[in-house]
Amino acid sequence: MTKFSDLNLNPKVLKAVEEAGYETPTPIQAGAIPPALAGRDVLGIAQTGTGKTASFTLPMITLLHRGRARARMPRSLVLCPTRELAAQVAENFDIYAKHTKLTKALLIGGVSFKEQDILIDKGVDVLIATPGRLLDHFERGKLLLTGVQIMVVDEADRMLDMGFIPDIERIFGLTPFTRQTLFFSATMASEIERITNTFLSNPERIEVARQASASETIAQGVVVFKPSRKDREGSEKRSILRGLIEREGADCRNGIIFCNRKVDVDVVAKSMKKYGYDAAPIHGDLEQSQRTRTLDGFRDGSLRFLVASDVAARGLDIPNVSHVFNYDVPSHAEDYVHRIGRTGRAGREGRAMMISVPRDEKNLDAIENLIQTQIPRIANPLKGDATAPEAEATPEAETPKPTRTRTRSRNRPAASTPAPAPEEAVEQTEATPAQAEPRQEDAAAAPAPETAEPPAEPQKDSAQRGASNRSRGSSNRGRSRRDERDEPVVGMGDDVPSFIAQSFEERMVG
DNA sequence: AAAAAAC
């Protein structure tokens, strides 16, 4: 098997890679690095989580390590669709360039120009940017792109979705014709095809092979429910969400909760906090400093739940997410794939649960059609009936998860439950006049965790599931969660389920 | 129909 040491990377880069603990490149890295080092254009067709970032940063650093930057004339440029993604590429660059003298600047919106200006004036080797802020600098006459030797376009299909293609074309036009171009996209929409035909010259095309089916590591489930009243939909969905989280118990180490709208991100995050959960919102209307802080907290484990818009659906490298909750059914089927792709990474087991109301039926169909799988229907933790009598738990069905540490007693949740205080307590301790939460929520919530039906395993392959249950063993009460996750991780990227590795068209066709 | 990205 190919090793990083076989790829002719600069020794200083190789050293940093080894220090980071990587030995074996992922397929996209093994495929893209050699032609990139040979100076060729590269067209990489790869989803997030495949190790894409290193497949362009490592050759870039190797190619640029000689020579130095002139004032206002960066030697290379990386374009990303979102600020967080750009920041992430910058972090990667810092890791792999740490033994070199190369410099970088991160040009993103939402932060002051001043520091960015100072860096550009001094001269940087690598510019990592979102298109808007880059063009802003250019129009102010602060920046010359005529010295760009290597240009990278990351997540091009998302740039297309976001209407950035004209900007990208313009930026291409500002760079020299002789530049080397590394272009990455998850899919090859016709517009993307057109761009690559125009701006890439005889590229080496690398398409990440679809993964073996064994990498199906995401257990999926959907709660299909009908709100008892239209105006209660929101509050009932929020109590279902809490019920799902409670049902997962300690297995739910952390999670991302996706909503379709920014307002709902705010409402859900506020509600979660009210009920004692450690949660924070992230979406594009929040201040950049807050976005950064929230994401950092989630990454380092100090924040348990991230309530997010699709700003966090793609590309962001957030390892170790045990759960993804789709509070809303995404209206673009591909977004579902991106959202749940935040869990079950690197061959680890992940769980993805969704809440669907009658209005979502069409979108749910489209998702199942896309992934060519029926998403298992799982029990509504509220039993679909907010007025159901309390304490109707059915112990005989309490089988499939022997290792659960969560409490199912009808009494108060035990101390081992890391979750929130019972709703009533919160209700009493909080003055609620100014809160956005409707009163009905409390009524709908009352029977929540305790009366939850046993978790119908939102599972796929029962054999696989059984194996992982065994590996947990009932004795793992005292084991650290880290131990459970100690499966070998190959390369610098993460394994992904097979359908994610397919192109959009492939998935549509089936 | 919404989210993201420039002020």
Side-chain angles (χ1 to χ4, degrees):
Chain A
M1 201 189 331
T2 313
K3 300 269 187 245
F4 280 112
S5 49
D6 304 328
L7 292 177
N8 285 320
L9 292 165
N10 175 276
K12 290 174 176 173
V13 177
L14 190 60
K15 188 172 175 221
V17 169
E18 283 168 355
E19 283 169 2
Y22 299 113
E23 237 181 61
T24 311
T26 64
I28 187 77
Q29 291 159 2
I33 292 174
L37 287 177
R40 294 201 43 201
D41 283 1
V42 170
L43 172 57
I45 301 160
Q47 283 282 354
T48 183
T50 52
K52 213 165 19 109
T53 308
S55 75
F56 60 81
T57 48
L58 302 185
M60 271 176 68
I61 298 166
T62 299
L63 291 167
L64 293 170
H65 92 280
R66 284 177 207 283
R68 68 166 207 271
R70 292 155 62 187
R72 279 179 254 177
M73 288 185 65
R75 300 165 66 208
S76 67
L77 173 62
V78 181
L79 291 173
C80 304
T82 68
R83 297 169 185 174
E84 278 76 12
L85 220 41
Q88 196 173 288
V89 171
E91 278 171 36
N92 268 266
F93 174 83
D94 285 341
I95 293 169
Y96 301 125
K98 70 174 178 181
H99 299 303
T100 73
K101 291 201 160 61
L102 295 178
T103 57
K104 65 127 207 304
L106 175 63
L107 304 191
I108 58 174
V111 295
S112 96
F113 280 91
K114 201 175 165 196
E115 285 174 46
Q116 298 177 357
D117 280 341
I118 293 170
L119 289 171
I120 295 170
D121 282 345
K122 268 199 285 194
V124 291
D125 298 293
V126 181
L127 210 54
I128 301 158
T130 47
R133 182 54 75 97
L134 180 82
L135 286 171
D136 209 337
H137 278 283
F138 179 80
E139 277 157 16
R140 290 163 180 239
K142 289 282 183 186
L143 192 58
L144 279 170
L145 296 177
T146 48
V148 170
Q149 299 161 32
I150 307 172
M151 173 160 158
V152 178
V153 179
D154 197 9
E155 305 253 336
D157 52 336
R158 197 164 179 208
M159 302 247 195
L160 173 69
D161 289 347
M162 292 167 66
F164 280 156
I165 294 301
D167 287 349
I168 300 300
E169 290 187 77
R170 180 163 172 227
I171 294 165
F172 265 123
L174 300 173
T175 62
F177 183 64
T178 51
R179 71 171 187 269
Q180 179 183 5
T181 308
L182 312 176
F183 192 101
F184 295 86
S185 182
T187 65
M188 286 302 289
S190 60
E191 184 74 344
I192 302 284
E193 188 93 50
R194 185 184 68 75
I195 301 275
T196 58
N197 289 338
T198 310
F199 295 103
L200 273 66
S201 147
N202 184 31
E204 174 85 16
R205 185 181 168 119
I206 294 111
E207 184 149 13
V208 166
R210 107 186 29 181
Q211 295 281 330
S213 59
S215 61
E216 266 282 1
T217 53
I218 304 176
Q220 303 174 62
V222 60
V223 176
V224 176
F225 102 110
K226 187 175 188 306
S228 64
R229 260 178 26 199
K230 194 105 201 287
D231 61 323
R232 286 185 186 162
E233 181 182 307
S235 63
E236 289 178 4
K237 280 174 82 170
R238 289 191 289 279
S239 26
I240 290 174
L241 173 66
R242 293 193 298 276
L244 289 172
I245 291 169
E246 287 312 292
R247 203 153 75 178
E248 293 299 296
D251 282 358
C252 183
R253 188 176 62 253
N254 60 358
I256 307 180
I257 298 157
F258 283 106
C259 305
N260 288 357
R261 293 177 193 76
K262 289 179 282 196
V263 281
D264 290 325
V265 169
D266 288 331
V267 170
V268 171
K270 197 172 174 188
S271 161
M272 294 278 289
K273 275 186 260 187
K274 176 182 157 191
Y275 282 94
Y277 292 88
D278 181 25
I282 186 166
H283 61 68
D285 282 354
L286 297 173
E287 279 208 11
Q288 187 56 39
S289 58
Q290 192 188 339
R291 285 164 64 168
T292 306
R293 221 179 320 123
T294 299
L295 202 54
D296 286 348
F298 192 66
R299 282 205 180 108
D300 72 23
S302 58
L303 176 69
R304 186 175 175 217
F305 290 108
L306 188 66
V307 187
S309 70
D310 278 320
V311 69
R314 302 199 212 181
L316 292 191
D317 185 29
I318 307 171
N320 302 337
V321 174
S322 71
H323 284 66
V324 166
F325 297 95
N326 277 300
Y327 174 85
D328 291 313
V329 176
S331 46
H332 277 318
E334 317 114 90
D335 288 339
Y336 177 77
V337 178
H338 290 296
R339 288 179 180 186
I340 71 165
R342 308 285 85 205
T343 186
R345 306 184 80 188
R348 293 174 190 143
E349 194 171 288
R351 294 164 74 79
M353 279 162 237
M354 180 155 67
I355 302 171
S356 174
V357 296
R359 175 164 34 86
D360 296 321
E361 202 179 317
K362 274 210 170 105
N363 290 328
L364 183 56
D365 284 349
I367 289 166
E368 294 184 323
N369 193 33
L370 175 68
I371 65 177
Q372 291 289 296
T373 312
Q374 245 268 7
I375 302 172
R377 268 52 179 171
I378 54 175
N380 181 343
L382 310 185
K383 309 194 88 177
D385 180 0
T387 63
E390 189 129 3
E392 277 302 300
T394 49
E396 73 278 5
E398 177 71 29
T399 40
K401 291 193 182 173
T403 64
R404 276 298 143 80
T405 53
R406 89 178 168 271
T407 315
R408 309 209 106 258
S409 118
R410 284 160 220 177
N411 306 321
R412 293 298 104 202
S416 67
T417 307
E423 291 77 5
E424 299 86 329
V426 176
E427 174 61 23
Q428 279 162 12
T429 54
E430 283 197 18
T432 54
Q435 276 169 356
E437 290 295 299
R439 293 287 303 175
Q440 297 97 307
E441 170 140 26
D442 306 302
E450 292 85 350
T451 62
E453 256 176 48
E457 284 290 300
Q459 291 321 335
K460 18 88 224 238
D461 180 331
S462 60
Q464 210 176 354
R465 181 69 192 161
S468 64
N469 270 349
R470 273 195 304 284
S471 78
R472 285 180 191 178
S474 53
S475 64
N476 74 5
R477 191 79 168 71
R479 282 175 78 192
S480 78
R481 302 201 62 86
R482 168 167 289 282
D483 290 339
E484 295 177 43
R485 291 183 273 115
D486 254 11
E487 292 106 13
V489 176
V490 174
M492 308 168 76
D494 296 326
D495 282 325
V496 291
S498 54
F499 66 82
I500 290 182
Q502 296 173 22
S503 72
F504 184 54
E505 289 77 9
E506 278 175 315
R507 280 185 259 121
M508 287 306 272
V509 173

